[in-house]
Amino acid sequence: MRELEEKILQDGKVFPGNILKVDSFLNHQIDIEMLDKMADEFYRLYKDEKITRILTIEASGIAVAVPIAQRFHVSVVFAKKAKSKNIGDGVYTSHVHSYTYNKDFTVTVSKDYLNEDDHILIVDDFLANGLAADGLIDIANQSGAKVVGFGVCVEKLFQGGGEKLRKQGYRVESLAKIKSFDNNKVNFE
Ligand code: 5GP
């Protein structure tokens, strides 16, 4: 999506460890108009599918998910990063490693909010190694829900998460695909 690429070129900052910071419009300050345009694009891509829930992971996925859910007239469910080890049996649980933050965390979704009748679109701000995506697929599988596909704002192609998901047969739609960072410059596919 051209406008997103232009915004990344204008405002994105590349940090060590192949991290792209987009705090000025996506991850800290939120540009609602940009989110609306991205949601329109995800709706255009997936409108012929039956979608009953948008699934994402807190925190930054939530802002992306809400305007998409509005277009499909469905609810957002976000996986929570568990703060205590004392997790009841009313939740689906998975484990996610974040290379970005060099941390492992447990994610949970209440069994009340996902079930085998659901057709879910998984959305997130970034797709890198695909480990957050793996955790969300794991949760969807535990619930019996069908994963219709993925919608991600920024895919870092060189980290391989998208390729792995596509090889597994998942539909993955990314609005900006980054091929490389050279000398702190972003190169799109
Ligand atoms: P993955 O699990 O695919 O390796 O990483 C995806 C998650 O890590 C996303 O939920 C996102 O929040 C975070 N992430 C990965 N790469 C970046 C990046 O370059 N910039 C930002 N801001 N977040 C990232």
Side-chain angles (χ1 to χ4, degrees), residues 13-15 17-23 26-27 56-61 81 96-101 105 123-136 152 154 156 158-162 164-165 178 181:
K13 294 196 174 65
V14 181
F15 279 71
N18 288 322
I19 300 298
L20 176 68
K21 285 259 185 188
V22 285
D23 282 4
L26 193 55
N27 289 146
T56 189
I57 185 163
E58 70 175 350
S60 46
K81 293 176 179 164
V96 174
H97 176 74
S98 166
Y99 284 109
T100 317
Y101 299 104
F105 49 90
V123 310
D124 206 356
D125 55 347
F126 278 84
L127 174 60
N129 298 284
L131 300 182
D134 289 343
L136 294 175
V152 297
V154 185
K156 294 188 290 181
F158 55 89
Q159 289 180 304
K164 183 183 68 183
L165 294 171
I178 297 177
F181 296 132

Side-chain angles (χ1 to χ4, degrees), residues 11-83:
D11 294 346
K13 294 196 174 65
V14 181
F15 279 71
N18 288 322
I19 300 298
L20 176 68
K21 285 259 185 188
V22 285
D23 282 4
S24 70
F25 66 96
L26 193 55
N27 289 146
H28 191 18
Q29 175 170 253
I30 296 175
D31 180 336
I32 303 294
E33 284 177 14
M34 179 56 75
L35 283 189
D36 263 339
K37 287 176 190 160
M38 293 196 286
D40 284 341
E41 184 59 8
F42 287 124
Y43 182 68
R44 189 185 69 77
L45 291 163
Y46 281 105
K47 67 177 184 321
D48 296 330
E49 301 287 345
K50 179 183 169 201
I51 307 267
T52 64
R53 290 267 193 292
I54 309 293
L55 178 65
T56 189
I57 185 163
E58 70 175 350
S60 46
I62 300 172
V64 176
V66 167
I68 301 172
Q70 219 167 19
R71 280 147 181 83
F72 284 97
H73 301 285
V74 298
S75 298
V76 172
V77 176
F78 62 92
K80 294 190 172 197
K81 293 176 179 164
K83 294 196 177 58

